[in-house]
Amino acid sequence: MVIVVVEDSVYAKVGRRIIPLLFALWLVNFLDRTNVDFAALQMNEELHLSPAVYGFGAGAFFFGYLALEVPANMLLLRYGARRWIARIAITWGLVSMAQALVVDATSFVAVRVALGFAEAGFLPAMLYYLTLWFPAERRAKAIGQAMSANVIAVVVGAPLSGLLLTYVDGAVGLRGWQWLFVVEGALAVVLGFVTLRCMTERPAEARWLAKEERSWLVARMAEDTAAAGAQGNHSLKDALRLPIVYLLGALYFCWGIGFYGVVLWAPQLVAQLSGGSMLQTSLLTAVPFGFGAAAAILNGRHSDRTGERRWHVTIPLRTAAVGLTSGSMMPGAAAGFAALCVTVIGVSAGLGVFWSVPSQFLVGRAAAGGLALINTISSFSGFCGPYLVGFVRGSTGSFTAAMVVMGASTAVSAVLAIVLLRGMRPPGAKNPVDAAADLPAGNPVA
């Protein structure tokens, strides 16, 4: 019991210290990656962008992202997480602000590709950083807390974008959509400098922990690294030769078709359902993503408590598939909005659990490269999802067929999760029944 209390106390301090900064970085990152969906409410008409052209441009971000993802993350090991994450944040913030300068389809696509170059390596760098602080059995909760920013970004960004589009439009000669890019991009630049000042590189440098706590944490993480390293996957070459790395990338690719398709088109879908103003649309769009954020945190916490990974990914994906396919058939705005809420909960809830899996069998350069490789494969969905939705919507005039396609892709990812995540449990984790039996005596992850 004493060890449990000490462990809980140390990780409570670690969580309070590093999770808020990671959350803020992830939030602004996703805000700058997806604020184009709100800008489109005004920008598409002004720049004469068709649904297909907008979908292509929104997804073109991933051309640059894919090109530099693995090389960028390998540089993380040379320069360290603090400096590398800060560099990424400052660069993407400046490029995001430059989106205010686009004048036509060509410049729109070009700046989106440049934004992908700037952000390359961010997600795996953040995940790798968390592996330095949290052992495998606590990682899903930590990743879920930080990655909930993906959906919270829409909760925060929706009303912020609506206010900028409505009340700042025309100030000093800039349209509301241009102000949206300038203001939200500037937040990333500021956070980059905050990261340089405040981020602690690794547990051995955590002066904000007592000496005994710091020593215990260093030893505990060394044990965790040794447990993962016992499988022999240490180098980039090791990661590249593992079929499971590519298969997990394929799983997340199918997942991402639904996730990015929903995220980047949600404001326009809500606008079609509600027929409201830009401000009303932005406020309504925030609602399903608030539910999604809560689901991501609760699902990650429960997965760590039970030590179970497979069904904590599969069940949310099945839920998303049901939400997408049923939403395409439901008549009425209220039913369609309810289906959107179910979909966002489903595509969001399993994120932290999924990303806790690769670091269970990859360490060091293998972890940095393997996480980047999985994200590289899966990130192509960031292009395919928005473009596919735009193409189908442009061809049919509605979102119905596009939602069926996204639902089918999400269902495929659920099937892959059932197959690939079987037996994927943190080292030393008990089965759910045993773990539950231990709870009254003081479960260390409770």
Side-chain angles (χ1 to χ4, degrees):
M1 284 296 294
V2 174
I3 294 177
V4 170
V5 171
V6 169
E7 182 171 354
D8 284 345
S9 174
V10 171
Y11 281 109
K13 290 183 180 180
V14 171
R16 288 194 298 267
R17 177 74 182 202
I18 73 172
I19 293 297
L21 178 58
L22 299 184
F23 178 89
L25 283 162
W26 237 312
L27 187 149
V28 175
N29 172 262
F30 207 74
L31 189 65
D32 284 341
R33 182 184 295 189
T34 60
N35 55 12
V36 66
D37 54 357
F38 291 100
L41 296 171
Q42 194 178 74
M43 177 184 69
N44 285 5
E45 181 178 356
E46 184 170 325
L47 301 184
H48 308 292
L49 303 180
S50 68
V53 170
Y54 164 74
F56 180 86
F61 161 89
F62 290 94
F63 292 155
Y65 194 84
L66 289 165
L68 295 183
E69 179 74 340
V70 174
N73 213 48
M74 298 315 295
L75 290 173
L76 161 73
L77 299 177
R78 174 180 296 181
Y79 296 107
R82 181 179 65 88
R83 286 188 292 174
W84 195 242
I85 291 173
R87 194 283 305 163
I88 293 174
I90 293 169
T91 306
W92 101 56
L94 293 173
V95 177
S96 184
M97 294 171 70
Q99 290 179 105
L101 303 177
V102 301
V103 294
D104 54 21
T106 301
S107 57
F108 174 57
V109 172
V111 176
R112 292 294 294 177
V113 173
L115 184 61
F117 284 138
E119 285 193 28
F122 176 75
L123 173 61
M126 296 283 278
L127 294 170
Y128 178 78
Y129 181 70
L130 282 168
T131 68
L132 302 178
W133 293 89
F134 292 94
E137 70 271 14
R138 289 180 177 262
R139 210 165 284 155
K141 176 183 175 182
I143 295 175
Q145 287 175 328
M147 285 196 77
S148 65
N150 280 2
V151 282
I152 289 291
V154 183
V155 177
V156 174
L160 175 61
S161 298
L163 290 171
L164 290 171
L165 290 171
T166 304
Y167 296 109
V168 191
D169 188 30
V172 299
L174 296 178
R175 295 299 311 277
W177 64 269
Q178 293 174 304
W179 275 113
L180 187 155
F181 289 131
V182 170
V183 171
E184 296 178 1
L187 293 175
V189 177
V190 172
L191 267 180
F193 287 105
V194 171
T195 299
L196 278 175
R197 180 79 174 88
C198 300
M199 179 175 277
T200 305
E201 188 71 42
R202 57 185 64 251
E205 301 172 14
R207 304 301 174 191
W208 36 269
L209 288 175
K211 183 178 179 180
E212 295 78 10
E213 293 173 326
R214 187 165 62 249
S215 298
W216 178 87
L217 181 59
V218 169
R220 177 67 188 87
M221 294 312 301
E223 292 174 2
D224 185 77
T225 300
Q231 301 186 51
N233 303 314
H234 300 269
S235 68
L236 177 59
K237 183 179 179 180
D238 292 330
L240 295 178
R241 68 176 174 78
L242 289 174
I244 186 65
V245 171
Y246 298 91
L247 291 170
L248 288 174
L251 187 165
Y252 203 64
F253 169 83
C254 294
W255 187 344
I257 294 290
F259 181 79
Y260 285 109
V262 169
V263 169
L264 288 172
W265 284 93
Q268 296 181 64
L269 174 59
V270 172
Q272 179 175 297
L273 289 171
S274 68
S277 67
M278 282 186 288
L279 182 58
Q280 291 171 329
T281 296
S282 63
L283 293 173
L284 280 173
T285 302
V287 174
F289 289 92
F291 291 135
I297 293 172
L298 294 174
N299 192 53
R301 180 181 298 170
H302 190 265
S303 178
D304 276 350
R305 178 174 296 154
T306 61
E308 202 285 322
R309 301 299 193 222
R310 184 189 190 193
W311 295 108
H312 284 80
V313 173
T314 301
I315 291 175
L317 288 174
R318 286 180 174 179
T319 301
V322 170
L324 284 163
T325 52
S326 63
S328 67
M329 298 179 288
M330 286 184 176
F337 187 75
L340 178 62
C341 290
V342 171
T343 298
V344 174
I345 289 171
V347 296
S348 304
L351 290 173
V353 181
F354 173 84
W355 283 112
S356 71
V357 170
S359 56
Q360 292 178 197
F361 55 89
L362 299 172
V363 296
R365 294 179 66 83
L371 289 168
L373 180 56
I374 292 170
N375 196 45
T376 298
I377 297 169
S378 64
S379 289
F380 193 58
S381 65
F383 167 74
C384 293
Y387 179 68
L388 186 62
V389 173
F391 177 79
V392 174
R393 186 196 176 200
S395 301
T396 64
S398 74
F399 283 105
T400 301
M403 292 177 72
V404 172
V405 172
M406 288 190 291
S409 181
T410 307
V412 171
S413 69
V415 173
L416 288 172
I418 292 174
V419 176
L420 298 179
L421 301 187
R422 183 176 183 177
M424 288 289 186
R425 303 174 61 77
K430 301 178 181 181
N431 65 53
V433 175
D434 292 339
D438 284 347
L439 284 176
N443 190 336
V445 295

